Amino acid sequence: MRRWLGPALVAPAFAYIALLVGLPVVLSLYLSVSDARVGSDTTRFVGLANFAGALQTPSFRGALIHSFLFTVISQALVIAGATLLALSLKEAFRGRGLVRLLVLLPWVAPISLGALGWKWLLDSLYSVVNWMLAAAGLVDPMNPPMWLGEPRLAMLSVILVHTWRTLPFATVILLAGLTSIPRDIPEAAAVDGGGFWRTHFTITLPMIRPIVLVALLFGVVFTFTDMTAVYILTRGGPADATQVLPSLAFFTGILGGDLSGGAAISLFLFPMLLLGAIVLLRIARRSEVT
Amino acid sequence: MAIVATRALTKRFGAGENAVDGVDIESRDGEFLVLLGPSGSGKTTVLRMIAGLEDPTSGEVWIGGRMVNAMTPRERGIAMVFQSYALYPHLTVYDNIAFPLKAQGVPRSEHEAKIGWAAEKFGIVRLLERKPRELSGGERQRVALARALVREPQVFLLDEPLSNLDAKLRASAREELQKFQKELGTTAVYVTHDQVEAMALGDRVVIMDHGRVRQVGTPAEVYDDPADTFVATFLGSPPMNLLERDGILLGFRPEHVRAGSAAEGAVGFRFRCELTEYLGSEQLAYGTLQDAAWAGREVVWRFPSWDPAPAEGSVQDVYVERARLRYFDSSTGLRRPAP
């Protein structure tokens, strides 16, 4: 009885991971080295031809660059913003509960709803953002910026929306990290004469570095593999200017019917992300403090 | 060196009663002043208000002749040792001790000499490259003291710095602490709930209860001449015997009970022994009085372990010298003259 209880209790988790994570990974690994297409019932093994083919296309190379820009810029903004937010939300002030709730909202609200809201905010004709900027005299009301229609602005928009979306989770993780620091430590720093910046840069933030790294790792992996903001706001446009690898894989494999090509694109970064995850987790473990 | 003083210092958390209620204390220059009280007496809150870690609800804090209420902790010229030591866990011992120097803008060229001096004083030179988690409790405590000492503060504030040490280490750390404080001559305010520590360390002891100061005095004064029944029973283990009759409480210490019949200048009792405890260096006898006037009152008697102990259930004559008797008003608990 006892011998079976443990495995039995762990079994659902195993089954869940095997079915929902393991199986699709294996399937896409298989697809990426085959010539499978929607509608054809015979597949052949083609080796790394799909990867080589993808590298030849300009849209793939563009998407690769966009993926890096998208991830690096948004996660840099997220870590900086989340640190500031967590530091301010840790302090007691009137209405802190409400502010915490508001900060969490983008995370708990369905992303489709949030992104549709942004789509409207940034709309070419009805943009509230432009309306306000025009009212403030910052943009020409006759010729306002096309937030989702000009390549650079569109990239900026998807990056900012994704930042807005992933900021709350990072904030919560960092807030938990800051809360775990015993109250005595910042107090000792205050008595020792440390001001706000010195205390945070030499004491508080180094102490939560492992947690920051975990948040960063999570954000980077999530961002490299997520296409929601791009899909809803721009569909990768204008003219592939905001195309990232996950959205390109989706358009190629699912909408374009090229299953093997899509699988190759989506798996392209897998080895690198795996390596990155291992490295970051090692650093986090080494810098762990008791 | 500086005098620390509080004037009508009061702290209220939320809507409840005052955690600190109109506390007036004033240290002397270079004094080792101990705040002693049970948990919840407000002693740590007083210390935190002196440090500037807690804002007073009302009242004033003075350090070195300046009213410091509006000053941040860093401007007050104090150093504090926390109960948990609050060492920075990710920094080496050297960097821990260097932090206050950097924060105060002490030129980098002077760091090494100052840190060496502080480390030397507390015998932690060989630990400088270690991280706090690689140190024992006693070593951490020394690092915390060195970190407090290194910037030569006007005032040391210590919040139960010995309570995390085991009993044996505590005694030697107590002795060392006293030695350093005397040597440096820096005013120290020390919070503890341990009366032995308070008596051993304090030039004077401030006894607090429920946010108020009950008595301030030298260890001998507060022990021998308690201002009220709280002080009388809080100090001493077992506490002072208090016998009530006609609205007056008669108090005497367990060690002032002597065997034999009362002679001139003493008060005699009939003591029936209920229970004895052998404690190595001393013995305790718990019993009740049999005299008509005091029938049934409980008394503890402390005597050396080499004296014969009374048999449990036996009745014998004991006495207390009149000079040892203390009188309290039984309704207010305050000291009063002999009736």
Side-chain angles (χ1 to χ4, degrees):
Chain A
M1 176 60 197
R2 197 164 258 266
R3 267 177 56 202
W4 295 105
L5 186 63
L9 288 175
V10 178
F14 266 107
Y16 170 83
I17 291 172
L19 285 174
L20 294 179
V21 181
L23 198 63
V25 167
V26 172
L27 195 62
S28 52
L29 273 173
Y30 162 72
L31 288 173
S32 69
V33 291
S34 75
D35 66 348
R37 296 189 62 82
V38 172
S40 74
D41 47 7
T42 58
T43 55
R44 283 185 309 125
F45 175 74
V46 296
L48 297 177
N50 290 318
F51 293 92
L55 272 173
Q56 302 293 319
T57 63
S59 61
F60 175 82
R61 282 177 303 202
L64 191 59
I65 293 168
H66 297 150
S67 270
F68 273 95
L69 280 177
F70 184 59
T71 304
V72 171
I73 298 176
S74 69
Q75 291 316 295
L77 291 174
V78 163
I79 289 298
T83 307
L84 277 177
L85 268 178
L87 285 176
S88 23
L89 289 178
K90 188 174 73 80
E91 302 302 324
F93 58 87
R94 250 182 117 79
R96 179 174 68 171
L98 184 69
V99 177
R100 282 189 176 181
L101 179 74
L102 289 176
V103 166
L104 266 181
L105 265 185
W107 187 45
V108 292
I111 174 59
S112 50
L113 212 63
L116 282 172
W118 279 105
K119 199 172 165 69
W120 168 67
L121 285 170
L122 302 171
D123 187 88
S124 54
L125 285 179
Y126 308 108
S127 167
V128 176
V129 175
N130 280 348
W131 183 78
M132 289 203 308
L133 290 175
L138 292 172
V139 302
D140 174 9
M142 291 300 111
N143 185 22
M146 307 268 278
W147 292 104
L148 302 175
E150 293 164 34
R152 274 163 192 267
L153 281 181
M155 194 67 206
L156 181 70
S157 300
V158 292
I159 286 174
L160 289 182
V161 170
H162 187 76
T163 303
W164 166 83
R165 181 191 170 200
T166 47
L167 187 63
F169 186 64
T171 306
V172 170
I173 293 183
L174 295 194
L175 193 56
L178 284 176
T179 315
S180 73
I181 296 178
R183 189 178 64 160
D184 285 359
I185 301 240
E187 284 183 351
V191 173
D192 280 346
F196 177 86
W197 296 109
R198 181 183 302 276
T199 301
H200 284 304
F201 279 102
T202 61
I203 306 290
T204 319
L205 295 180
M207 279 183 75
I208 61 164
R209 187 169 54 192
I211 291 163
V212 174
L213 286 176
V214 168
L216 184 65
L217 170 68
F218 189 87
V220 165
V221 172
F222 179 78
T223 305
F224 260 123
T225 55
D226 184 69
M227 55 174 267
T228 317
V230 168
Y231 182 75
I232 294 176
L233 287 176
T234 65
R235 311 261 154 165
D240 278 350
T242 56
Q243 199 70 273
V244 289
L245 290 178
S247 61
L248 184 64
F250 177 77
F251 289 124
T252 310
I254 307 297
L255 299 186
D258 180 4
L259 286 177
S260 54
I265 294 170
S266 69
L267 280 176
F268 196 83
L269 287 179
F270 179 68
M272 212 189 69
L273 288 180
L274 190 67
L275 196 71
I278 291 170
V279 169
L280 270 176
L281 282 177
R282 290 207 155 206
I283 298 174
R285 192 178 310 158
R286 196 172 325 137
S287 57
E288 216 160 275
V289 285
T290 46
Chain B
M1 272 185 263
I3 289 171
V4 177
T6 67
R7 308 239 191 283
L9 195 63
T10 299
K11 178 72 184 182
R12 177 196 290 268
F13 294 105
E17 63 176 301
N18 291 343
V20 174
D21 196 1
V23 166
D24 291 288
I25 48 180
E26 180 159 343
S27 79
R28 297 182 185 133
D29 201 10
E31 182 180 39
F32 202 123
L33 187 68
V34 176
L35 305 187
L36 173 67
S39 60
S41 59
K43 55 193 190 302
T44 295
T45 309
V46 169
L47 193 77
R48 290 172 58 81
M49 287 193 279
I50 294 173
L53 295 172
E54 208 85 65
D55 287 327
T57 307
S58 65
E60 297 172 355
V61 176
W62 290 72
I63 297 175
R66 293 182 305 169
M67 215 266 266
V68 298
N69 279 41
M71 292 186 189
T72 60
R74 68 183 295 189
E75 293 164 337
R76 297 188 182 197
I78 49 163
M80 185 157 170
V81 177
F82 290 78
Q83 184 172 8
S84 65
Y85 313 138
L87 299 179
Y88 310 128
H90 60 294
L91 298 180
T92 61
V93 169
Y94 185 94
D95 288 330
N96 261 281
I97 303 175
F99 184 84
L101 297 178
K102 287 182 188 161
Q104 306 264 302
V106 174
R108 192 165 278 275
S109 55
E110 296 174 22
H111 286 190
E112 202 154 331
K114 281 183 182 288
I115 293 167
W117 167 74
E120 188 88 41
K121 263 211 159 8
F122 290 99
I124 51 171
V125 174
R126 71 201 160 78
L127 306 176
L128 285 175
E129 295 313 312
R130 299 218 198 141
K131 294 271 180 73
R133 65 164 174 275
E134 299 161 332
L135 305 179
S136 70
E139 289 167 342
R140 285 179 200 195
Q141 192 239 358
R142 286 153 170 277
V143 174
L145 287 170
R147 187 175 68 182
L149 173 76
V150 72
R151 38 185 284 232
E152 299 166 62
Q154 295 189 62
V155 175
F156 277 123
L157 304 177
L158 303 109
D159 185 10
E160 310 222 7
L162 304 183
S163 63
N164 285 340
L165 301 179
D166 61 59
K168 206 168 167 187
L169 207 51
R170 203 178 302 168
S172 65
R174 200 168 69 201
E175 188 192 327
E176 255 175 49
L177 201 58
Q178 196 174 16
K179 213 176 71 194
F180 286 125
Q181 195 269 342
K182 292 275 172 284
E183 195 180 312
L184 294 165
T186 307
T187 309
V189 181
Y190 185 104
V191 161
T192 183
H193 66 270
D194 182 337
Q195 48 168 306
V196 178
E197 244 169 55
M199 303 294 254
L201 287 170
D203 292 324
R204 285 188 306 155
V205 180
V206 177
I207 295 173
M208 292 191 60
D209 182 46
H210 284 96
R212 290 169 182 269
V213 173
R214 307 303 287 252
Q215 190 174 4
V216 183
T218 65
E221 281 165 5
V222 292
Y223 187 78
D224 291 336
D225 282 305
D228 58 22
T229 51
F230 172 79
V231 178
T233 51
F234 183 69
L235 290 179
S237 169
M240 184 178 266
N241 291 303
L242 290 175
L243 311 178
E244 209 241 317
R245 193 173 72 178
D246 303 335
I248 295 174
L249 285 164
L250 176 69
F252 52 88
R253 295 274 173 202
E255 61 269 30
H256 293 148
V257 178
R258 295 287 170 79
S261 38
E264 185 66 29
V267 179
F269 301 99
R270 293 286 292 163
F271 178 82
R272 181 189 149 86
C273 177
E274 312 283 359
L275 182 73
T276 58
E277 283 176 351
Y278 180 83
L279 300 175
S281 63
E282 63 189 30
Q283 299 182 79
L284 298 177
Y286 298 85
T288 49
L289 298 184
Q290 304 298 307
D291 319 68
W294 303 103
R297 307 294 203 287
E298 290 177 0
V299 164
V300 185
W301 172 17
R302 188 210 305 261
F303 51 97
S305 52
W306 52 85
D307 281 0
E312 287 173 13
S314 68
V315 177
Q316 69 182 102
D317 281 326
V318 296
Y319 68 92
V320 180
E321 283 170 26
R322 279 196 189 279
R324 301 294 191 186
L325 295 177
R326 301 289 178 265
Y327 301 91
F328 303 90
D329 187 299
S330 70
S331 54
T332 62
L334 296 174
R335 266 296 276 286
R336 51 155 293 162

